[in-house]
Amino acid sequence: SNLIEVDVLIIGAGPSGCVAAAYLNKKGIQVKVVEKSKFPRFVIGESLLPKCMEHFEEAGLLHVLENHGFEIKRGARFLRDDIVCNFDFSKKHTPGWDWTWQVPRADFDNLLATEIQKQGVDLSFEHEVIDTDINDEGVSITRIKDENGEEYTVKAQYIIDSSGYGRVLPRLLGLDKPSAIPEHSSMFTHVKDIKRPEGEEGTLITFDVLDRDTWFWVIPFSNGDTSIGFVGKTELIESYEGNMKDMLKLSKYYHKRFEGVDFKFEPISIKNYAKSVTQLFGKGYILTGNSAEFLDPVFSSGVTFATESALKAAKLIDKALNNQEVNWQVEYSDYIMKGVEVFATYVKEWYTGNLQTLFFHRPENPDIKKQICAVLAGYVWDESNPFVKKHDRLVKNLAHLIHMNAEENN
Ligand code: FAD
């Protein structure tokens, strides 16, 4: 018949779905992954954080990524006018990975998906989740449409929703909630980077801060292409729609490098991208990655959050299926929200300007810098870091001190 039974159904084969699937599969748990599109497929989210290397390693996926030759990312550079703020991940408060990659996601995600198939995971491309029905025990029957338009159903003990921008369960179960992050939008493309300078300058990830609300990203890939994109208030992005070439003039630093170069595809806009949900789990289901929460691209936290939440969800499902007690509220939701809240503070304080005050204040304080660097490397669960533990006050208070001193000196 057209009913398949598994322990865990995973929706989406992005980094979140692949990490969850690989981990559960290693534990001998029967998973099925359904992915709506055909890979390789484009998705935005190209600058990774060192913390996510731990997740790929633990899921048994790191070796395939290592062999590919992605551009290595050892830090991040922020520019504002003539001031440069360079973060070096080898100088950070929290021990752990001090590098990662900057990746074209079509290639990156395809490597992950191909590898989980090799490891024995049942993954179907061009299979789209249409609807689901979850009973009081948490057992779900999910309707899926395959590549020929035929429908079948999957019965599962757990659903992991890793559908990213698809937001499958938030939509089907009515879990969407407005985000507390101010409304920003983005426009981006890839270019053939024919004027890329030699050496480090050519390969550095850079955030060029144009004004408090507006910034420009430059993410060079090892294949010679570079991702470029603007983030700003929705009205500003809309005013340049269809005209990204003109918008490039806003970046004094990069204008010449990207003037006249070919776009690899029509610029894409994503508007009011911040997303949130009323709950991260329910009986029989868990939301991971972008399907759960998306804040802002300014600190490149998206993929790392996607893999952190996926690994956590997979571990807890493994526990539960082995008849151990799981407190989903404490072990999943509260844990994940702790990290989300740290990043949320940094995003908010970026757009109030307070964090920018700290980044571009001179002289720099090396201790503070190391602590902020650990946050920017994704180590947002390390409470020995004052910039994690007191995130809600420290950035604001320090920026306030800097402003007071500046006034006194005037
Ligand atoms: P995805 O990678 O989106 O994967 C979800 C998969 O689910 C997709 O392949 C999709 O086809 C599939 N799917 C959807 N609906 C269905 C369905 N009904 N049935 C079956 N399958 C389905 N993050 C970073 O880490 N670094 C960055 O530099 C960065 N920059 C960003 C810039 C912008 C402008 C924006 C908006 C986001 C950025 N992000 C960045 C965030 C990043 O895009 C996401 O956080 C990341 O892709 C999340 O991964 P995921 O696995 O949760 O979802």
Side-chain angles (χ1 to χ4, degrees), residues 11-17 34-37 39 41 43-48 105 109 127-129 162-166 168 171 186 188 217 219 231 270 273 288-291 294 297 300-304 306:
I11 312 174
S16 200
V34 287
E35 164 55 53
K36 181 168 99 176
S37 60
F39 276 26
R41 59 94 181 84
V43 65
I44 197 64
E46 298 146 335
S47 155
L48 308 182
R105 286 284 300 283
D109 291 16
H127 284 214
E128 180 181 359
V129 167
S162 307
S163 62
Y165 300 96
V168 172
R171 271 192 297 112
S186 177
F188 49 83
W217 80 63
I219 307 176
V231 172
I270 300 188
Y273 44 64
T288 69
N290 237 49
S291 172
F294 182 67
S300 309
S301 56
V303 170
T304 299

Side-chain angles (χ1 to χ4, degrees), residues 18 97-98 110 112 135 143 183 186 206 277 281 289 297 299 365:
C18 284
W97 284 81
D98 57 14
N110 196 36
L112 293 173
N135 75 13
R143 269 169 58 208
E183 294 204 333
S186 177
T206 303
V277 287
F281 71 95
F299 301 120
N365 176 323

Side-chain angles (χ1 to χ4, degrees), residues 221-354:
F221 301 135
S222 59
N223 64 10
D225 295 344
T226 291
S227 171
I228 56 174
F230 287 93
V231 172
K233 286 229 167 108
T234 302
E235 310 89 79
L236 180 81
I237 298 296
E238 282 181 341
S239 74
Y240 279 99
E241 249 173 334
N243 215 344
M244 188 161 163
K245 294 226 147 111
D246 261 2
M247 200 168 191
L248 287 171
K249 292 179 190 149
L250 298 179
S251 171
K252 288 198 192 81
Y253 192 85
Y254 281 109
H255 177 216
K256 283 264 159 357
R257 176 160 156 194
F258 298 118
E259 192 179 25
V261 301
D262 287 336
F263 291 170
K264 309 252 332 184
F265 51 84
E266 264 310 297
I268 297 172
S269 324
I270 300 188
K271 296 194 191 159
N272 305 321
Y273 44 64
K275 295 277 181 277
S276 190
V277 287
T278 51
Q279 58 196 75
L280 294 178
F281 71 95
K283 219 165 180 152
Y285 72 87
I286 304 99
L287 311 178
T288 69
N290 237 49
S291 172
E293 179 93 36
F294 182 67
L295 301 165
D296 194 275
V298 69
F299 301 120
S300 309
S301 56
V303 170
T304 299
F305 171 67
T307 51
E308 175 86 29
S309 54
L311 193 60
K312 187 54 114 186
K315 285 179 179 174
L316 294 173
I317 287 179
D318 177 42
K319 233 174 119 178
L321 288 174
N322 283 300
N323 296 320
Q324 284 172 270
E325 190 78 42
V326 173
N327 183 336
W328 285 96
Q329 181 59 41
V330 172
E331 292 176 77
Y332 189 69
S333 200
D334 294 353
Y335 173 81
I336 291 299
M337 284 319 290
K338 230 178 193 170
V340 168
E341 275 156 19
V342 175
F343 272 125
T345 293
Y346 283 77
V347 168
K348 267 183 236 152
E349 295 296 357
W350 178 263
Y351 292 109
T352 61
N354 283 334

Side-chain angles (χ1 to χ4, degrees), residues 18-20 22-23 26 54-62 119 311:
C18 284
V19 162
Y23 184 87
K26 268 207 311 191
E54 290 177 5
H55 309 141
F56 292 120
E57 191 170 32
E58 201 173 345
L61 297 170
L62 193 64
Q119 295 181 1
L311 193 60

